[in-house]
């Protein structure tokens, strides 16, 4: 069909444009996660002045998704601009809990977080759009709960353009939601992973099972297990019991007896 041929050509053209944009992103405009296998797969890291989506793999993984999203924001803001604005919906706080100051401290984030709580998804989108236009910020985290909170493709493009113009990274957390078309540069699915106990039975570092679902630069999907180092504000390779593995996204992770 002529319409299908036109659509296919348009998709190929958009893919080429995305690839050229990514190729023109210099190393100084990217941030590394800190794990060699991940950063190598990402061709040196992720663009700092862009929008990145983080989905909870299941409702029970909301905390893990928030932790990984916060880690991304802290990595974005690592070059002196440490203030991060976190926008939340009141409904989301009631459903899965809010951000706790003690938890932020334990994660290594304090005192750089400004929490903004609004009534619904529309207000959250407006607040995030205003915040991401402020070049003095290091990053913005937009937490959206439920499928009804999904920004339209047009809105996501506006957010992405605002992030690129102001040079402020944006992390969009999607909790209890499924991926939909958006202008996000990268899209991740995050699940909680068991941590290794430290000396004297102290709680171990937070660990995350990551799946890269989409990358506008044409980088293939992959899966890794990482943990967060709160002292250095960087992700690192998990210990031997949960070593980083890179797998095609369609291949199930190996289970142990």
């Amino acid at each position: 069909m002529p319409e299908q041929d036109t659509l296919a050509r348009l998709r190929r053209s958009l893919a080429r444009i995305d690839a050229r944009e990514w190729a023109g992103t210099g190393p100084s405009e990217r941030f590394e996660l800190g794990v060699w296998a991940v950063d190598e797969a990402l061709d040196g890291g992720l663009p700092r002045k862009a929008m990145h989506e983080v989905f909870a793999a299941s409702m029970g993984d909301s905390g893990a998704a928030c932790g990984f999203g916060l880690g991304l924001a802290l990595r974005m803001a690592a070059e002196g601009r440490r203030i991060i604005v976190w926008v939340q919906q009141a409904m989301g706080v009631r459903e899965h809990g809010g951000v706790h100051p003690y938890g932020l401290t334990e994660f290594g984030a304090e005192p750089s977080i400004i929490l903004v709580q609004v009534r619904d998804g529309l207000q959250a989108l407006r607040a995030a759009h205003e915040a991401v236009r402020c070049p003095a910020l290091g990053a913005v985290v937009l937490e959206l709960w439920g499928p009804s909170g999904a920004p339209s493709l047009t809105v996501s493009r506006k957010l992405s353009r605002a992030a690129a113009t102001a040079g402020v990274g944006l992390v969009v957390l999607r909790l209890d939601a499924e991926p939909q078309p958006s202008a996000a540069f990268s899209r991740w699915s995050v699940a909680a992973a068991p941590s290794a106990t430290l000396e004297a039975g102290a709680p171990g570092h937070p660990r995350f099972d990551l799946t890269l679902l989409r990358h506008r630069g044409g980088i293939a999907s992959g899966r890794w297990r990482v943990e967060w180092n709160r002292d250095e504000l960087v992700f690192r390779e998990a210990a031997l019991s949960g070593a980083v593995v890179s797998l095609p996204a369609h291949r199930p992770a190996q289970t142990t007896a």
Side-chain angles (χ1 to χ4, degrees), residues 94-121:
R94 289 195 294 269
E95 289 293 328
H96 66 80
V99 177
H100 196 281
Y102 180 76
L104 293 175
T105 301
E106 287 299 301
F107 205 81
E110 65 88 27
S112 58
I113 307 294
I114 298 176
L115 295 176
V116 178
Q117 189 175 123
V118 297
R119 184 179 67 250
D120 53 33

Side-chain angles (χ1 to χ4, degrees), residues 167-191:
V168 178
L170 173 63
V171 178
V172 180
L173 297 175
R174 300 299 315 283
L175 310 179
D176 193 26
E178 295 294 329
Q180 297 181 14
S182 77
F185 193 93
S186 71
R187 176 180 294 159
W188 301 81
S189 175
V190 182

Side-chain angles (χ1 to χ4, degrees), residues 20-53:
R20 287 198 298 270
E21 289 179 351
W22 174 239
T25 303
S28 63
E29 297 178 334
R30 307 179 196 178
F31 67 94
E32 296 180 343
L33 275 69
V35 179
W36 182 88
V38 182
D39 293 326
E40 178 74 6
L42 295 175
D43 194 22
L46 293 170
R48 191 181 304 273
K49 306 173 184 179
M51 180 173 74
H52 305 278
E53 283 183 326

Side-chain angles (χ1 to χ4, degrees), residues 56 58-69 86 96 107 175 190-192 208:
S58 69
M59 191 58 185
D61 294 310
S62 296
C66 290
F68 178 68
W86 188 310
H96 66 80
F107 205 81
L175 310 179
V190 182
F208 311 95

Side-chain angles (χ1 to χ4, degrees), residues 32-238:
E32 296 180 343
L33 275 69
V35 179
W36 182 88
V38 182
D39 293 326
E40 178 74 6
L42 295 175
D43 194 22
L46 293 170
R48 191 181 304 273
K49 306 173 184 179
M51 180 173 74
H52 305 278
E53 283 183 326
V54 176
F55 284 79
S58 69
M59 191 58 185
D61 294 310
S62 296
C66 290
F68 178 68
L70 176 56
L72 288 183
L74 289 169
R75 296 299 298 154
M76 286 179 182
E79 292 188 350
R81 297 181 303 173
R82 295 295 305 282
I83 301 300
I84 296 171
V85 170
W86 188 310
V87 182
Q88 297 178 299
Q89 292 176 249
M91 175 62 75
V93 174
R94 289 195 294 269
E95 289 293 328
H96 66 80
V99 177
H100 196 281
Y102 180 76
L104 293 175
T105 301
E106 287 299 301
F107 205 81
E110 65 88 27
S112 58
I113 307 294
I114 298 176
L115 295 176
V116 178
Q117 189 175 123
V118 297
R119 184 179 67 250
D120 53 33
L122 180 58
Q123 288 187 345
L125 291 169
R126 288 174 175 171
H129 186 255
E130 288 299 316
V132 82
R133 294 166 63 190
C134 177
L137 296 177
V140 175
V141 177
L142 170 59
E143 181 184 328
L144 297 173
W145 181 84
S148 62
S152 66
L153 183 57
T154 299
V155 171
S156 71
R157 285 173 176 162
K158 289 181 179 179
L159 289 170
S160 181
R161 284 197 297 268
T165 300
V168 178
L170 173 63
V171 178
V172 180
L173 297 175
R174 300 299 315 283
L175 310 179
D176 193 26
E178 295 294 329
Q180 297 181 14
S182 77
F185 193 93
S186 71
R187 176 180 294 159
W188 301 81
S189 175
V190 182
S195 62
T197 304
L198 301 179
E199 295 182 3
H205 299 288
R207 288 186 178 176
F208 311 95
D209 280 331
L210 309 180
T211 302
L212 177 63
L213 301 176
R214 180 177 182 268
H215 189 287
R216 283 181 56 190
I219 292 174
S221 301
R223 297 177 62 188
W224 302 274
R225 176 168 291 183
V226 302
E227 67 180 24
W228 175 252
N229 185 328
R230 56 153 291 173
D231 297 317
E232 299 179 10
L233 298 182
V234 68
F235 293 100
R236 65 184 183 187
E237 184 175 353

